C-alpha cells in the first residue's frame, strides 16, 4: 500500500489540516493501492506562505547554482527509476514498456533540457537605451492531470526552478503517488526549503484554492478546457497570469505517396498509445480517397498486433483507461458514434474479450464520419479514431484545421514539398513529420482552445519570468 497522507510544506512532510483521504485505485485491477490526504484551503495557504518566504533568496540564486540544482534533480530522479516505473504502471495502468520508454524518460528529460538551456540563458539584455532584466515571476501554482504523472509536472517544475520562482503544486488526485516520489527526489537533490511545496487533494478544493489565492502570482495549469475556463475566471479576480495546456483533437494527414501499412500502423499506434489518453495524439486521420478501402483493410489486419491487457506484461501496448469514469466517457462517445451513423472499422463498445476486470476499452475506429458530429469534433481521450477522406491537399488542410483545438498535428508521407506545406499550414503548436522524435528544447503548447502559453525549454522558462525595462541604467 502506498499511503502518503502528508503534504510537503516548507521542506517538511506535514499532516494535513483536513481529516479526509482519497483512495488511489489501480485501474487494471480496480483495487485500492494507496491513499493521500484530501488537502484544504488552509494547507494551500500554509504552502503559499512557505513559497513566498523562500522566494527572496531563491530568486537571487545564481544561474550556476540553479543549473547544479536541476542536474542534481535529474541524478536523483534516475536513482528512483524502478520506483517511478512501478508506481506509474500501478496508478495509471500505463503498460510497463511504455512507462519506462516514455513516461519515465519524458519526466527526466525536462530537467536535463532545462539545465542545458539555463547554462546559456540570458537574463539581461541591452537594447538602444534600455537595460532589460528578466525577474522570476514569484510564487507559481502548478496543477496537473493524470495522463503523464511525471512528465506534466516535471516540465513545470524544471522551468520554475530554472527561473528562480518558488512553487505550490497539486497533481491529479487519480495519480498522485508519482508526485510524492518526485517531491522526495527534490528533497534529496537539495531543493531549499519552501521552494517546492506539494499539497495533495481534490481539484475542486486544493486546485480552486490555488487558482484563487491572492498571493500566487502565476498559475500554470494542464488539464481540460472546462477546468481551464473556471481557473481563468478565478485568476481574473486579482489579474493573476495563467498558462493553460488544454485538450486536443489532432489530425494525421496521410499523403498519397505513403504505404498503406505505414498509414494503418501510424493510426493504430497513435490512438492506442497510453490508451488514447494523450492530449497531443492524432485522433482524426485524413486519407486520400483512393487509399481509403485499402487503409481500412490494413487496420483490420494489423490491429491485433497492438495487444490490450495487463500493464505489467512487457508485450502489452494498451492498458486500461485511468478510471471507471473515463471508461464510461469513452463508451458513451463510441455509442454516440454509432448513433450518428458512422461506420465501425474495428472495436466498438464493451471490454475486449477476456478482460472483464479493469477499465479496458477496445481500440476503435470509425469511418464515414460526419465531420460535424461529436466524435469528429470533441476530445474523447480514449482509443477512438475517426477516418476522413480527401481529394486535394488543400481540402485535407481545411478539414484538419476545422476544429476548436490546435495542440498538435502529424503528416505522413514522402514528398518533401507536400510534407512541408501541410506541416506549415496546420494551425497547431506542434507538428510531427513522419516518426520524428520529440525535442525537449522546443516549445510545446496549443493554438486556439488548446491553450495559452508554452512549456518545454527556453519558452517554458520565459513563462515564469517578468521582463523589466530600465531606462538610463549606468554601464
Ligand atoms: P481535469 O479534470 O481538468 O484536471 C486537471 C487538474 O485540475 C487535476 O489536478 C484536477 O484535480 C484539477 N482540477 C479539477 N477541478 C479543478 C478546479 N475547479 N480548480 C482547479 N483545479 C481543478 O483534466 P484531467 O481529466 O485530469 O486530464 C485530461 C485533460 O488534460 C484532457 O483534456 C487533456 O487533453 C488535457 N491535457 C492537456 C495537455 C497539454 O499539454 N495540452 C497534457 C495532458 C493532458 P483532480 O485530479 O482532483 O480532479
Amino acid at each position: 500500500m502506498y499511503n502518503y497522507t502528508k503534504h510537503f510544506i516548507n521542506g517538511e512532510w506535514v499532516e494535513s489540516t483536513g481529516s479526509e483521504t482519497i483512495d488511489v485505485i489501480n485501474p487494471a485491477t480496480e483495487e485500492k493501492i494507496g491513499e493521500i490526504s484530501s488537502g484544504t484551503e488552509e494547507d494551500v495557504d500554509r504552502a503559499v506562505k512557505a513559497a513566498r518566504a523562500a522566494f527572496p533568496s531563491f530568486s537571487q540564486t545564481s544561474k550556476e547554482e540553479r543549473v547544479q540544482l536541476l542536474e542534481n534533480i535529474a541524478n536523483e530522479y534516475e536513482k528512483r527509476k524502478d520506483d517511478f516505473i512501478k508506481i506509474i504502471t500501478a496508478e495509471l495502468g500505463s503498460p510497463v514498456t511504455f512507462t519506462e520508454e516514455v513516461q519515465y524518460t519524458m519526466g527526466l528529460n525536462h530537467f536535463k533540457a532545462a539545465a542545458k538551456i539555463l547554462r546559456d540563458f540570458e537574463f539581461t539584455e541591452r537594447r538602444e537605451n534600455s537595460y532589460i532584466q528578466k525577474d522570476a515571476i514569484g510564487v507559481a501554482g502548478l496543477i496537473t492531470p493524470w495522463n503523464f504523472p511525471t512528465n506534466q509536472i516535471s516540465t513545470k517544475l524544471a522551468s520554475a526552478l530554472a527561473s528562480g520562482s518558488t512553487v505550490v503544486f497539486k497533481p491529479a488526485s487519480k495519480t498522485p503517488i508519482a508526485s510524492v516520489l518526485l517531491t522526495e527526489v527534490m528533497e534529496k537533490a537539495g531543493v531549499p526549503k519552501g521552494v517546492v511545496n506539494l499539497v495533495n487533494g481534490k481539484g475542486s478544493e486544493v486546485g480552486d484554492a490555488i487558482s484563487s489565492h491572492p498571493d500566487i502570482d502565476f498559475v500554470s495549469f494542464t488539464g481540460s478546457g472546462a477546468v481551464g475556463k473556471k481557473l481563468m475566471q478565478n485568476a481574473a479576480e486579482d489579474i493573476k497570469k495563467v498558462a493553460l495546456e488544454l485538450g486536443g483533437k489532432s489530425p494525421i494527414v496521410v499523403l498519397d505517396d505513403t504505404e498503406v501499412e505505414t498509414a494503418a500502423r501510424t493510426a493504430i499506434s497513435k490512438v492506442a498509445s497510453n490508451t488514447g489518453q494523450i492530449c497531443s495524439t492524432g485522433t482524426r486521420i485524413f486519407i486520400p480517397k483512393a487509399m481509403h478501402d485499402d487503409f481500412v483493410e490494413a487496420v483490420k489486419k494489423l490491429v491485433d498486433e497492438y495487444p490490450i491487457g495487463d500493464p505489467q506484461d512487457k508485450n502489452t501496448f494498451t492498458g486500461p483507461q485511468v478510471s471507471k469514469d473515463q471508461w464510461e466517457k469513452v463508451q458513451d462517445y463510441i455509442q454516440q458514434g454509432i448513433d450518428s451513423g458512422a461506420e465501425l472499422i474495428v472495436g466498438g463498445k464493451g471490454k475486449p474479450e477476456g478482460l472483464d476486470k479493469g477499465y479496458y476499452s477496445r481500440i476503435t475506429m470509425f469511418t464515414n464520419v460526419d465531420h460535424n458530429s461529436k466524435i469528429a469534433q470533441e476530445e474523447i481521450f480514449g482509443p477512438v479514431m475517426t477516418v476522413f477522406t480527401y481529394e486535394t491537399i488543400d481540402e485535407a488542410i481545411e478539414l484538419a484545421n476545422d476544429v476548436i483545438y490546435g495542440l498538435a498535428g502529424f503528416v505522413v508521407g514522402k514528398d518533401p514539398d507536400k510534407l512541408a506545406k501541410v506541416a506549415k499550414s496546420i494551425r497547431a503548436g506542434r507538428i510531427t513529420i513522419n516518426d520524428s522524435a520529440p525535442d525537449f528544447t522546443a516549445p510545446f503548447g496549443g493554438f486556439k482552445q488548446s491553450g495559452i502559453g508554452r512549456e518545454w525549454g527556453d519558452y517554458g522558462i520565459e513563462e515564469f519570468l517578468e521582463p523589466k525595462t530600465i531606462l538610463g541604467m549606468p554601464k
Side-chain angles (χ1 to χ4, degrees), residues 143-147 152 170-173 201-204 207-208 221-224 227 230-231 245-248 279 379 381 407 444:
I143 302 174
T144 49
W146 42 261
N147 66 331
Q152 308 298 6
K170 187 211 99 65
S173 49
K202 293 181 197 146
S204 54
D208 196 64
F221 171 78
T222 302
S224 63
V227 173
K230 188 163 187 302
L231 192 137
E245 293 286 340
L246 308 175
C279 52
E379 181 184 53
F381 229 49
L407 188 58
F444 183 93

Side-chain angles (χ1 to χ4, degrees), residues 121-142:
F121 194 92
E122 297 296 348
F123 284 86
T124 60
E125 174 195 344
R126 279 201 183 265
R127 178 185 299 188
E128 302 213 344
N129 63 330
S130 302
Y131 176 87
I132 300 164
Q133 172 177 300
K134 295 176 181 176
D135 288 352
I137 199 158
V139 176
L142 316 179

Side-chain angles (χ1 to χ4, degrees), residues 264-426:
R265 286 195 184 281
T266 303
I268 301 166
S269 61
K270 289 275 172 276
V271 80
S273 253
N274 214 31
T275 325
Q277 301 166 144
I278 303 181
C279 52
S280 56
T281 204
T283 50
R284 297 180 296 136
I285 193 149
F286 295 90
I287 290 277
K289 201 166 190 174
M291 277 175 72
H292 174 266
D293 294 354
D294 290 343
F295 170 78
V296 166
E297 286 314 308
V299 167
K300 286 181 183 164
K301 197 173 117 203
L302 295 170
V303 72
D304 291 339
E305 289 185 24
Y306 297 79
I308 305 175
D310 182 2
Q312 303 294 343
D313 183 337
K314 286 201 159 135
N315 296 317
T316 293
F317 192 85
T318 302
Q321 307 294 162
V322 70
S323 64
K324 187 162 182 277
D325 292 358
Q326 190 63 23
W327 185 83
E328 283 167 356
K329 186 179 155 204
V330 170
Q331 296 301 307
D332 191 45
Y333 272 112
I334 296 174
Q335 185 62 51
Q336 290 188 42
I338 295 167
D339 294 345
S340 72
E343 182 189 332
L344 267 176
I345 300 175
V346 291
K349 279 190 80 181
K351 294 189 178 179
E353 217 182 302
L355 290 172
D356 300 331
K357 196 148 189 102
Y359 308 121
Y360 294 97
S361 301
R362 298 166 72 193
I363 298 170
T364 298
M365 276 196 215
F366 286 102
T367 191
N368 292 321
V369 181
D370 173 356
H371 193 258
N372 295 317
S373 64
K374 284 195 171 188
I375 57 161
Q377 293 289 326
E378 295 181 8
E379 181 184 53
I380 298 174
F381 229 49
V384 182
M385 181 171 276
T386 47
V387 179
F388 303 92
T389 59
Y390 72 87
E391 295 200 55
T392 65
I393 294 263
D394 287 338
E395 187 193 357
I397 293 167
E398 196 183 323
L399 286 170
N401 284 331
D402 188 19
V403 284
I404 58 166
Y405 295 108
L407 188 58
F410 301 82
V411 203
V412 186
K414 296 196 179 92
D415 183 305
D417 292 337
K418 287 184 187 165
L419 286 170
K421 177 176 173 171
V422 176
K424 288 180 175 179
S425 307
I426 295 176

